[in-house]
Amino acid sequence: YEEGKKRRKPNYSSVDLSEVEWEDRDDVLRNAMVNRKTGKFSMEVKKTVDKGKRVLVMTNDYYYTDIKGTPFSLGVALSRGHGKYFFRGNVTVEEGLHDLEHPDVSLADEWSYCNTDLHPEHRQMTQLEAIKRYLTGKEPLLQCKYSVKYACDKELIQEVLFDAVVSAPIEAYWTSLALNKSENSDKGVEVAFLGTRTGLSRINLFVGPEQLTNQDFLTAEDKENIFNADHFPLWYRRAAEQIPGSFVYSIPFSTETANKSNVVTASTAIQLLDDRKSPVVAAVGIQMKLEFFQRKFWTASRQCASLDGRCAISCDDETINCYLIDNNGFILVSEDYRQTGYFFGEVEGAVMNKLLTMGSFKRITLYDYQAMCRTNKESSDSAYSLLDPYNAFFAAVKWIMTELVLFLVEFNLCSWWHSDLTAKAQRLKQTLEPCDTEYPAFVSERTIKETTGNIACDDCFKSFVIQQIPSSNLFMVVVDNECFCDSIPPITMAPIEIRYILYLQSCQEENQGKIRRRPESCHGFHPEENARECGGVSGLSAKPPFVLLPLLLTIFSR
């Protein structure tokens, strides 16, 4: 990772399974695999999404078995997705194909509706093209039976056809909204979208493609928000976790500054409510301009239920600050526009700390075993130069060239005798090193509807109130701004590096009671191996000139 050269992560091969699947507190999965058993195990896990800023709770099914003839075990983790049941219906092929051919309809191209890898002539086909050829019978090879399965998944295709027919009326609804200019006169809503359980998507633009604020949304560049081989879109997953009938709002995080905090995404799950089974069949949503969303919020906050319509207290008052935050604590609306997208704890650390203490929010500690940390490396360390004679040689050349340039520029003896100052200035070099980090994520408590609190500061009390917005994942927070709590530091989401020396020591103490299983047999030699052809290190001898050269260069380079 330095100067374009990758380095192997230290102690990468010694990572214990309990550090990867760290939700398995009782080591059920770990012990079963160490003991070479075959079976299945289910566990609730936490997965980070949206550039690591948010966390989703899901259930994984683990399948494991031993590999015969080896000391290894193999495990596979599969997510259950969002719901256990499918909703199926019968439609004709003609109806389904008619709606599939709509230009705003697309399918998850990384899903295997049809196996297009069986024949070279099929590999250039999209999944939608393969389905059409399969249903019309134009491609006999897709109808053939290979071993125990067909080239196309008949049940999944039937479900796709049903979704295409059932979701077709929403296109007419979106078209009527686009034609009715009074509904979206300022073009605040830019995109409407729908995704079904079978990977079918419908997209409608209310503005021209060149006018979109977020150009990457729902495109191949935005991997998190499209149907992928290993996950549903982020707006689908977050909506499926909410209470049925509620909307989830969020500001998408991006590494590109051009699209940062300029749009708001809102989505809700479409769920078939039943006393026995409640499958999530689809999710629908919109993406709007952030400025449009904030304007709607400020307008609504000034409307009160009193007879004269006036509010006893308003966000316009100079003594209070109003915020709109989501269930992960990120600010969507603030009186200071620059705070949009920030974590609430960074702006109001005292209030966030109180919310954590009261249980309105909870902190979840997550781990990153593939992180990169910045370190200050001493490139002129004397001990370091002894490790490699080339380092000492180049250090001496560098010193000679530095002294020559300084002598020609300044032409005085002072810099000659105090040249160590120039060497010290180049000792610290900042580099990126592989490391392990831990970082927090925050989730609100669903049962909290409204909470008030007072915070004891140095010479005053800071009061606040937080209230949940009905049918959403949003909270309105009103904070007294006349009392400053500078003694309470802000709460950040910055990762903390896990130092290897201390970390390995604590891991050894923690893993002392963990089960270890030695291989059943040792392989100290191989009958075809000739020990005399290997080794020969004892025959090597160091040449005195090559031993003294690095030491002399090191002495003169000081």
Side-chain angles (χ1 to χ4, degrees):
Y1 301 98
E2 182 183 3
E3 298 176 357
K5 298 179 180 179
K6 292 185 178 181
R7 294 182 179 179
R8 184 177 294 277
K9 190 177 174 79
N11 301 300
Y12 184 81
S13 60
S14 63
V15 175
D16 194 89
L17 181 61
S18 60
E19 299 175 42
V20 179
E21 298 293 344
W22 48 271
E23 298 284 357
D24 185 14
R25 305 295 183 185
D26 298 326
D27 289 340
V28 176
L29 174 66
R30 182 189 180 281
N31 293 345
M33 295 190 67
V34 168
N35 291 323
R36 298 173 59 78
K37 294 182 178 180
T38 300
K40 174 186 174 183
F41 171 68
S42 299
M43 180 174 61
E44 187 179 85
V45 298
K46 299 177 181 65
K47 178 178 176 61
T48 57
V49 294
D50 212 353
K51 308 296 185 295
K53 301 290 186 179
R54 307 182 191 277
V55 61
L56 287 180
V57 180
M58 58 180 61
T59 302
N60 282 355
D61 293 324
Y62 298 86
Y63 301 86
Y64 50 88
T65 186
D66 64 313
I67 303 177
K68 304 298 182 183
T70 72
F72 302 107
S73 292
L74 175 67
V76 177
L78 298 177
S79 174
R80 287 187 182 177
H82 307 283
K84 189 177 180 181
Y85 303 99
F86 285 90
F87 185 72
R88 292 174 178 167
N90 294 321
V91 295
T92 64
V93 173
E94 291 76 14
E95 288 179 307
L97 282 177
H98 176 269
D99 291 319
L100 274 180
E101 291 176 349
H102 196 281
D104 292 336
V105 174
S106 61
L107 294 180
D109 212 42
E110 293 188 8
W111 289 22
S112 295
Y113 301 93
C114 291
N115 190 347
T116 57
D117 292 330
L118 295 176
H119 295 279
E121 57 267 29
H122 294 162
R123 291 172 185 170
Q124 301 300 324
M125 288 185 186
T126 64
Q127 288 296 313
L128 185 57
E129 292 173 344
I131 290 176
K132 291 178 181 179
R133 289 178 174 270
Y134 166 76
L135 293 175
T136 56
K138 294 181 179 179
E139 195 65 47
L141 292 175
L142 291 174
Q143 309 284 340
C144 296
K145 191 173 184 179
Y146 293 90
S147 63
V148 295
K149 67 177 181 179
Y150 288 97
C152 292
D153 190 328
K154 185 178 180 180
E155 291 185 356
L156 182 57
I157 292 177
Q158 185 64 31
E159 292 165 5
V160 167
L161 295 179
F162 179 78
D163 287 350
V165 173
V166 172
S167 62
I170 200 171
E171 293 285 352
Y173 173 70
W174 286 339
T175 303
S176 65
L177 290 179
L179 295 175
N180 188 357
K181 296 182 180 180
S182 62
E183 293 288 339
N184 192 27
S185 58
D186 51 1
K187 297 183 179 180
V189 178
E190 298 184 336
V191 187
F193 49 87
L194 176 141
T196 71
R197 179 74 183 271
T198 59
L200 180 141
S201 299
R202 288 184 180 271
I203 303 172
N204 187 83
L205 300 182
F206 293 107
V207 298
E210 68 283 351
Q211 295 177 308
L212 289 173
T213 305
N214 189 349
Q215 295 285 337
D216 294 336
F217 186 58
L218 300 177
T219 64
E221 286 74 19
D222 189 10
K223 290 290 186 181
E224 276 198 326
N225 285 306
I226 60 174
F227 286 95
N228 219 320
D230 60 346
H231 64 249
F232 281 56
L234 179 58
W235 46 266
Y236 189 109
R237 288 181 284 171
R238 296 197 66 204
E241 282 199 344
Q242 294 295 314
I243 300 173
S246 63
F247 275 81
V248 54
Y249 298 83
S250 64
I251 295 179
F253 294 95
S254 175
T255 55
E256 301 292 336
T257 56
N259 294 332
K260 184 178 180 181
S261 301
N262 286 331
V263 293
V264 174
T265 304
S267 60
T268 184
I270 301 175
Q271 195 166 0
L272 181 66
L273 297 181
D274 189 279
D275 294 337
R276 298 162 298 171
K277 306 168 185 176
S278 300
V280 176
V281 296
V284 63
I286 60 174
Q287 188 170 92
M288 68 195 95
K289 294 179 181 178
L290 176 61
E291 182 270 334
F292 170 80
F293 176 78
Q294 292 180 340
R295 189 169 66 250
K296 292 289 186 181
F297 169 77
W298 291 124
T299 302
S301 66
R302 296 184 179 96
Q303 298 175 356
C304 297
S306 58
L307 295 176
D308 57 359
R310 296 181 179 180
C311 303
I313 185 171
S314 171
C315 291
D316 295 329
D317 295 345
E318 297 181 355
T319 59
I320 61 174
N321 289 334
C322 294
Y323 303 94
L324 187 68
I325 65 175
D326 63 15
N327 60 317
N328 297 119
F330 293 100
I331 300 174
L332 280 79
V333 181
S334 172
E335 297 174 23
D336 186 353
Y337 185 83
R338 296 170 298 179
Q339 296 174 349
T340 302
Y342 277 74
F343 179 60
F344 183 67
E346 297 178 4
V347 179
E348 296 283 356
V351 178
M352 191 66 199
N353 183 68
K354 187 68 173 180
L355 292 174
L356 291 170
T357 305
M358 298 168 61
S360 300
F361 277 78
K362 60 181 178 180
R363 183 200 303 262
I364 300 174
T365 302
L366 303 170
Y367 301 93
D368 186 1
Y369 294 103
Q370 298 179 1
M372 298 295 295
C373 298
R374 294 188 178 277
T375 58
N376 290 327
K377 180 180 176 182
E378 293 189 5
S379 58
S380 300
D381 192 354
S382 299
Y384 175 76
S385 62
L386 290 174
L387 296 178
D388 192 339
Y390 293 106
N391 291 332
F393 174 75
F394 288 121
V397 173
K398 184 178 180 180
W399 174 80
I400 294 173
M401 296 299 296
T402 302
E403 296 301 328
L404 180 61
V405 171
L406 289 174
F407 180 78
L408 294 175
V409 172
E410 299 181 4
F411 200 71
N412 59 64
L413 297 176
C414 181
S415 61
W416 182 268
W417 294 106
H418 299 281
S419 59
D420 57 327
L421 297 176
T422 59
K424 290 181 179 179
Q426 298 178 358
R427 282 186 179 179
L428 293 180
K429 182 180 180 182
Q430 200 172 59
T431 60
L432 288 175
E433 296 283 351
C435 64
D436 291 347
T437 59
E438 65 177 28
Y439 57 97
F442 300 87
V443 180
S444 65
E445 180 59 49
R446 288 184 177 181
T447 58
I448 302 298
K449 303 299 180 184
E450 183 176 350
T451 302
T452 60
N454 292 296
I455 307 168
C457 301
D458 293 334
D459 53 357
C460 60
F461 283 89
K462 191 180 188 71
S463 59
F464 69 91
V465 59
I466 179 172
Q467 188 175 31
Q468 185 182 24
I469 307 297
S471 302
S472 75
N473 68 322
L474 302 179
F475 295 86
M476 183 174 180
V477 187
V478 181
V479 182
D480 171 23
N481 64 7
E482 292 186 332
C483 178
F484 298 95
C485 281
D486 297 333
S487 59
I488 301 178
I491 298 176
T492 68
M493 301 184 67
I496 302 174
E497 181 182 358
I498 302 174
R499 295 292 180 178
Y500 264 104
I501 297 177
L502 299 177
Y503 176 64
L504 292 176
Q505 181 180 356
S506 63
C507 280
Q508 291 174 356
E509 297 173 356
E510 181 182 349
N511 296 336
Q512 280 180 355
K514 293 187 180 295
I515 296 177
R516 305 287 180 187
R517 187 173 181 272
R518 295 181 62 85
E520 296 178 354
S521 60
C522 295
H523 305 277
F525 65 96
H526 193 274
E528 297 181 4
E529 177 185 2
N530 186 354
R532 294 182 179 180
E533 295 179 356
C534 301
V537 178
S538 58
L540 297 177
S541 60
K543 304 294 183 180
F546 292 104
V547 174
L548 295 176
L549 179 61
L551 295 176
L552 294 175
L553 291 174
T554 302
I555 294 173
F556 284 108
S557 64
R558 291 186 176 180

